């Protein structure tokens, strides 16, 4: 499914959210890019509100480190008990700590940015009130590079520490992956690669890696992030796929950073690129005695 369908599916199937909404055509009143007219056949028998209309823009914003913006408009009648303040937390909770995978296998997360209230007059001179809930769309693309791959090495290391966790790049990802206390989600990304020095046989590289941990339980998230940082510091190295070492030169665990946009664990690691493959020495003219 594309991202639009994934967002619609997520919103329309969240029971804590849809229990507050009216229906259209027997389904929860969730629409994009706009809702049908109030006189259109299909609305629930009592009212056309509350309803949700969402739109998103995939224009990259470098300052917010986001791939786009999702705007969810929640519209209610002012004479109803279902007020925006009651429903808005359910919208935020629905998109919290969840990864959606589209047809191109790209993962997207949603970071709540702000909520603004509004009011408007309908055709029948009824006052409508609502909330505009804005999310930054964070793109989590595949980070595999070439062998030796520091990202794959770091992902395998974390999976070894927490086998029950979900590690992007190691575990299979469904269309919807919801992080939980029992199964948090780790995502490793490579921010930069620098060449340090070179010799006749090896070129030493400096790779900077950021690790994000998605977990709705804050104490668990902080403990696990600190544990990964401590383990990397104690071990001092991570084994790569070719069994060569990737040395941990510097590690910072910033437990107050934005775990969706920036990550919590920042590692500077040193690893080598071999110029030549090892050449075997064949045994020539052997003399075999039984």
């Amino acid at each position: 499914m594309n991202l639009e369908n994934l967002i619609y599916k997520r919103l329309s199937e969240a029971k804590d959210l849809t229990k507050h909404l009216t229906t259209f055509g027997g389904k929860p009143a969730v629409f994009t890019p706009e809702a049908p007219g109030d006189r259109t056949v299909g609305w629930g028998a009592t009212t056309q509100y509350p309803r949700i209309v969402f739109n998103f823009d995939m224009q990259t914003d470098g300052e917010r480190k986001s791939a786009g913006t999702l705007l969810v408009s929640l519209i209610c009648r002012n004479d109803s008990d279902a007020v925006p303040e009651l429903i808005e937390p359910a919208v935020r909770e629905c998109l919290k700590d969840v990864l959606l995978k589209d047809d191109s296998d790209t993962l997207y997360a949603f970071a709540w940015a702000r909520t603004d209230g509004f009011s408007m007059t309908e055709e029948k001179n009824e006052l409508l009130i609502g909330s505009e809930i804005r999310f930054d769309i964070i793109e989590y693309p595949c980070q595999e590079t070439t062998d030796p791959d520091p990202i794959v090495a770091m992902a395998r290391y974390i999976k070894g520490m927490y086998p029950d966790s979900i590690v992007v790049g190691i575990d299979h990802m469904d269309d919807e992956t919801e992080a939980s206390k029992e199964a948090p989600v780790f995502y490793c990304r490579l921010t930069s690669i620098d060449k340090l020095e070179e010799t006749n046989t090896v070129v030493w590289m400096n790779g900077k890696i950021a690790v994000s941990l998605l977990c709705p339980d804050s104490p668990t998230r902080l403990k696990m992030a600190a544990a990964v940082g401590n383990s990397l510091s104690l071990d001092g190295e991570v084994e790569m796929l070719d069994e060569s070492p990737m040395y941990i030169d510097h590690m910072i665990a910033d437990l107050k950073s934005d775990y969706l946009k920036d990550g919590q664990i920042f590692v500077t690691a040193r690893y080598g690129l071999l110029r030549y493959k090892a050449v075997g020495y064949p045994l020539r003219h052997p003399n075999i005695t039984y």
Side-chain angles (χ1 to χ4, degrees):
M1 289 188 287
N2 58 32
L3 184 57
E4 178 181 300
N5 292 333
L6 290 169
I7 296 172
Y8 173 81
K9 184 175 183 292
R10 184 70 185 175
L11 293 172
S12 62
E13 293 182 358
K15 294 182 179 179
D16 289 341
L17 171 60
T18 57
K19 67 181 181 182
H20 299 289
L21 304 179
T22 188
T23 60
F24 181 82
K27 297 180 180 179
V30 178
F31 309 100
T32 184
E34 60 183 19
D38 289 350
R39 298 180 181 179
T40 304
V41 177
W43 286 107
T46 56
T47 179
Q48 294 83 33
Y49 302 94
R51 65 173 71 162
I52 281 179
V53 180
F54 72 89
N55 291 277
F56 65 93
D57 178 13
M58 295 304 293
Q59 184 176 356
T60 302
D61 190 327
E63 293 183 359
R64 289 200 309 267
K65 301 180 181 180
S66 65
T69 301
L70 169 65
L71 182 63
V72 180
S73 298
L74 170 62
I75 309 171
C76 307
R77 285 174 50 139
N78 70 331
D79 58 354
S80 170
D81 293 334
V83 294
E85 292 77 13
L86 175 66
I87 309 174
E88 188 266 352
V91 177
R92 293 173 56 182
E93 190 66 26
C94 173
L95 295 172
K96 181 182 179 183
D97 294 321
V98 64
L99 293 174
L100 303 181
K101 184 179 74 170
D102 66 5
D103 296 329
S104 64
D105 289 337
T106 301
L107 296 171
Y108 296 95
F110 304 88
W112 174 75
R114 58 185 292 177
T115 298
D116 298 314
F118 66 87
S119 61
M120 53 189 287
T121 303
E122 199 205 15
E123 295 178 359
K124 302 176 183 178
N125 295 325
E126 295 174 347
L127 184 64
L128 301 179
I129 57 176
S131 295
E132 286 189 345
I133 311 157
R134 188 179 300 271
F135 297 87
D136 288 335
I137 302 175
I138 314 300
E139 183 179 354
Y140 287 175
C142 176
Q143 287 287 304
E144 292 186 18
T145 58
T146 57
D147 190 41
D149 195 328
I151 291 300
V152 172
M154 184 62 68
R156 291 173 69 238
Y157 180 87
I158 293 174
K159 186 65 177 180
M161 284 189 63
Y162 295 109
D164 295 332
S165 66
I166 300 172
V167 181
V168 177
I170 301 295
D171 295 297
H172 170 75
M173 305 294 292
D174 296 326
D175 290 344
E176 295 183 18
T177 302
E178 188 170 351
S180 65
K181 181 179 179 180
E182 295 74 23
V185 177
F186 285 92
Y187 174 73
C188 305
R189 61 184 177 91
L190 192 62
T191 61
S192 67
I193 303 175
D194 300 322
K195 187 178 80 171
L196 290 178
E197 58 181 337
E198 56 182 299
T199 65
N200 290 335
T201 58
V202 65
V203 176
W204 289 102
M205 308 295 290
N206 224 20
K208 294 185 178 180
I209 302 170
V211 181
S212 296
L213 168 57
L214 282 68
C215 178
D217 185 70
S218 180
T220 301
R221 184 171 65 245
L222 296 180
K223 289 179 183 178
M224 293 182 71
V228 172
N230 291 343
S231 181
L232 288 170
S233 300
L234 289 172
D235 291 342
E237 65 181 53
V238 172
E239 185 180 89
M240 307 191 81
L241 289 178
D242 61 357
E243 298 183 352
S244 65
M246 179 172 68
Y247 299 105
I248 308 301
D249 285 345
H250 190 62
M251 194 285 302
I252 298 176
D254 187 352
L255 305 182
K256 294 183 179 180
S257 68
D258 189 321
Y259 65 92
L260 286 175
K261 298 181 181 180
D262 301 317
Q264 301 103 315
I265 306 164
F266 305 94
V267 176
T268 301
R270 177 167 46 92
Y271 61 96
L273 303 178
L274 295 179
R275 289 185 180 276
Y276 311 101
K277 293 184 178 180
V279 179
Y281 296 93
L283 186 63
R284 301 180 183 276
H285 310 297
N287 183 9
I288 301 174
T289 303
Y290 293 94

